[in-house]
Amino acid sequence: MDPEGDGLVGAETVGLLVGPGANTAERIAALRARLMTPMPDDRLWSWVWPLLITAFAAFLRFNRLSAPNAVIFDETYYVKDAWSILQHGVEWITLPSPVSNPQWLNNQIIAGRTNIFQACSGTGCGEYVVQPPVGKLLIAVGEWLYGLTSFGWRSASAVFGTAAILVMCRVARRLTRSTLLGCIAGLLLSLDGLEFVLSRTGILDIFLMFFVLASFGCLVVDRDVSRARLAEAMVLEPTDESGPRLGIRKWRVAAGILVGLAGATKQDAVYYALAFAGLCVAWDMGARRTVGLRSYVRGALVRDGKWLPLTFGVIPLVTYIATWSGWFATSTGYDRNYAQLNGVNTPIISPLYSLLEYHKEMLQFGVALDARQSYESQPWDWLVITRPVAFFWQSYTNTAGTHLPPKNVVGPYVAEVLAIGNPLIWWVSIPALLFCLGWWLTKRDWRAGAAVVCFLAGWATWLPFTSRTKFFYYAVEFEPFVIICIVLCLGLIIGPATARVSRRVTGAALAGIYVLAVLVLFRYFYPILSGQVIPYSEWLSHMWYRGGSGVGWI
């Protein structure tokens, strides 16, 4: 997994790389060159271009952010939960909607009503919720700033969805050692319909994706930093055949905190913690083997790996529990007094016991959820986009979208927010993923391996739960790794910097055509991604796949 080099270069033979008279600095430089490829020297432009792409993404996401002015899809849960956290510290039970008018409370919110919770006289007020608090806390920040409005509850999603573009640029640049490829990665993410829609909707998945990507980015930085430290330690602090001790690493601590925040957004992030720990072990083994340590396995597992239970076990768990501070600080959260009601009154132990019992219920619900939904899909559907999810759909009688037609009448104008990926990204990802899998297995390219492993952590872990209700928009959490695979392939198409000019020009032209096609297709789908009012016939022309019987885009 180390294309920078994994031939044996024993510490006692480092001098052979630079000559027997090499000084300390030259020996360290020789090992660094063996361990890692230098970063590009365009430091200024490596920020300017990603920031320009991020500004472009921000415009797309914040423009008309309050449209549609409605509570759409699962906003019906998280908007109210976030407002309750802002008002009461935890999620309270909302006012009920009449059976004959299930949208009554949502309509009241749009009309400006903010008192939307049942009266509470003590305990028994807590709403049973099955997702941790971080995503709702972030949504609550937007509601605090802008009120209980569609802009307010979507603003945090837009901020984090936009920030993910910048992180994508920087992470891909570090992976590929190319500012161009890093910018392409960020641009592709900004032009994907799924990421775009989730950046404009007040639900949790965009926060999960951001924290997972940021955690991965910290690991990639740590890989470089730790290899530079290893090179120095091999020369300055010679040790046994297991190699030097690098101690606890701050970038891995940061990764642990971020993956803990990911888990505190949606709990399936636990699979990324396991994948990241596995990558760390593999990278540490590769680094120690590259510098010629005979006991590189022991060195990676004992001297580096001994800290992994802390960085990807204890730290994420402590971070996760800390995010429940609102639940701990009040007496009105769901199951908050479970321990006391069952005779457990020990300080500290009592609330933790209550939280544990609550999580048992959450886990049972999550695993057993099998209610059939019209827009559900299976993981093998996601890459081919057979069943995107309609977050919002409404027909109108006028182009301004102010007059509704009679009941059970459609058109002649409609508006939709369809959570659908850009086909030129998702369909192309299939051969890109397969190629990167082969590239990793045959050439041991660590970048391809990392992208494939992280993709599998988000995608393959859903496969055993065939009866569990699932939706295509879950795929946004691993989308950055799909795009990394595409960008790695584009890098091969463009060719190395040492290739002939004609080869590079041809490759760059092909890559440019692909990116332009992605842009054109994003513009084509924009009306049904953003809730624009368009003629029904135009909307129907965008429905490329009309499979029926629970599949298709309609």
Side-chain angles (χ1 to χ4, degrees):
M1 287 181 62
D2 296 278
E4 290 95 340
D6 54 4
L8 298 182
V9 189
E12 70 279 4
T13 63
V14 172
L16 296 177
L17 295 174
V18 291
N23 59 35
T24 299
E26 289 172 333
R27 296 171 67 202
I28 293 173
L31 274 183
R32 281 186 176 179
R34 185 74 179 180
L35 283 165
M36 51 196 291
T37 304
M39 291 292 294
D41 58 3
D42 56 346
R43 178 167 296 185
L44 174 62
W45 292 108
S46 74
W47 282 103
V48 170
W49 288 114
L51 286 172
L52 287 174
I53 292 169
T54 304
F56 168 70
F59 171 77
L60 291 176
R61 281 146 183 77
F62 280 94
N63 183 42
R64 300 179 58 255
L65 181 61
S66 58
N69 187 28
V71 180
I72 68 174
F73 195 59
D74 279 0
E75 286 183 343
T76 191
Y77 306 113
Y78 304 123
V79 165
K80 300 162 191 172
D81 289 346
W83 187 249
S84 181
I85 289 173
L86 188 61
Q87 302 297 315
H88 308 295
V90 291
E91 300 91 336
W92 277 17
I93 299 172
T94 58
L95 295 171
S97 292
V99 175
S100 60
N101 185 12
Q103 290 298 314
W104 174 80
L105 186 55
N106 289 341
N107 293 335
Q108 290 289 303
I109 292 172
I110 295 301
R113 180 169 183 170
T114 58
N115 180 21
I116 59 174
F117 304 104
Q118 296 183 22
C120 179
S121 58
T123 61
C125 316
E127 180 77 70
Y128 173 55
V129 296
V130 295
Q131 300 293 1
V134 162
K136 291 170 281 188
L137 285 167
L138 295 172
I139 293 171
V141 172
E143 293 177 340
W144 173 64
L145 291 171
Y146 303 108
L148 190 58
T149 63
S150 56
F151 185 90
W153 64 66
R154 293 173 190 156
S155 57
S157 297
V159 168
F160 276 77
T162 300
I165 309 301
L166 179 60
V167 176
M168 182 84 258
C169 289
R170 298 295 298 179
V171 171
R173 175 181 181 266
R174 184 169 287 273
L175 280 170
T176 62
R177 298 308 204 244
S178 167
T179 300
L180 172 63
L181 293 177
C183 289
I184 289 175
L187 188 59
L188 291 179
L189 188 60
S190 72
L191 296 175
D192 180 65
L194 183 62
E195 205 274 354
F196 174 79
V197 168
L198 291 173
S199 296
R200 293 167 54 88
T201 308
I203 62 177
L204 308 181
D205 299 78
I206 198 68
F207 306 116
L208 171 62
M209 183 270 279
F210 175 84
F211 289 127
V212 168
L213 175 60
S215 180
F216 176 74
C218 288
L219 291 185
V220 175
V221 174
D222 173 76
R223 186 181 186 276
D224 284 346
V225 171
S226 63
R227 287 183 167 226
R229 289 180 57 203
L230 179 63
E232 292 183 6
M234 286 294 296
V235 174
L236 301 177
E237 305 169 17
T239 182
D240 60 24
E241 287 300 328
S242 294
R245 294 174 173 82
L246 299 181
I248 191 167
R249 285 135 72 162
K250 63 179 181 181
W251 285 105
R252 288 191 179 178
V253 171
I257 293 171
L258 287 165
V259 83
L261 291 173
T265 303
K266 295 187 82 170
Q267 290 151 337
D268 57 312
V270 66
Y271 297 115
Y272 291 99
L274 298 174
F276 291 167
L279 289 177
C280 288
V281 171
W283 292 349
D284 290 341
M285 284 185 183
R288 289 175 181 268
R289 181 172 184 268
T290 297
V291 297
L293 293 168
R294 293 184 178 87
S295 299
Y296 60 89
V297 174
R298 181 179 181 277
L301 293 177
V302 176
R303 296 192 173 170
D304 293 324
K306 68 181 179 182
W307 297 107
L308 291 178
L310 174 64
T311 52
F312 288 109
V314 175
I315 288 175
L317 180 61
V318 170
T319 301
Y320 179 87
I321 294 174
T323 64
W324 286 84
S325 57
W327 185 88
F328 285 118
T330 68
S331 61
T332 55
Y334 182 83
D335 262 357
R336 177 61 183 83
N337 298 312
Y338 178 93
Q340 291 91 325
L341 295 175
N342 287 273
V344 180
N345 296 292
T346 307
I348 300 178
I349 298 298
S350 176
L352 290 175
Y353 178 62
S354 296
L355 187 64
L356 176 62
E357 290 299 319
Y358 186 5
H359 276 69
K360 289 180 180 179
E361 296 181 43
M362 295 167 67
L363 180 61
Q364 291 171 357
F365 175 87
V367 173
L369 180 61
D370 59 0
R372 301 280 64 88
Q373 300 286 343
S374 58
Y375 286 102
E376 68 178 320
S377 58
Q378 294 292 340
W380 49 83
D381 297 316
W382 296 346
L383 296 181
V384 291
I385 325 178
T386 60
R387 195 59 173 161
V389 184
F391 282 12
F392 173 84
W393 195 94
Q394 182 62 59
S395 64
Y396 302 97
T397 60
N398 64 331
T399 57
T402 56
H403 300 293
L404 301 180
K407 188 176 181 180
N408 299 323
V409 175
V410 176
Y413 300 95
V414 301
E416 181 175 33
V417 175
L418 184 66
I420 184 171
N422 190 313
L424 280 177
I425 292 176
W426 289 92
W427 293 347
V428 168
S429 75
I430 298 173
L433 284 162
L434 292 173
F435 176 83
C436 284
L437 176 61
W439 191 13
W440 173 36
L441 295 177
T442 59
K443 302 296 184 180
R444 292 192 298 176
D445 187 279
W446 71 273
R447 303 161 303 171
V452 170
V453 166
C454 293
F455 161 75
L456 292 174
W459 178 79
T461 49
W462 285 105
L463 294 176
F465 305 100
T466 54
S467 62
R468 206 268 193 194
T469 310
K470 299 176 285 295
F471 299 94
F472 168 62
Y473 68 87
Y474 293 179
V476 77
E477 69 184 58
F478 58 76
E479 182 179 357
F481 307 108
V482 166
I483 288 177
I484 287 171
C485 288
I486 294 174
V487 167
L488 289 174
C489 293
L490 290 177
L492 293 177
I493 291 172
I494 294 172
T498 55
R500 298 191 311 272
V501 174
S502 59
R503 162 80 171 79
R504 295 270 290 177
V505 169
T506 302
L510 291 173
I513 291 171
Y514 170 73
V515 174
L516 180 61
V518 170
L519 173 62
V520 170
L521 205 55
F522 174 81
R523 177 64 186 88
Y524 170 78
F525 281 110
Y526 181 81
I528 64 171
L529 300 173
S530 60
Q532 286 187 347
V533 179
I534 57 177
Y536 177 81
S537 58
E538 182 180 342
W539 169 82
L540 193 61
S541 70
H542 287 75
M543 301 297 106
W544 290 358
Y545 178 45
R546 309 173 196 176
S549 301
V551 296
W553 294 6
I554 297 179

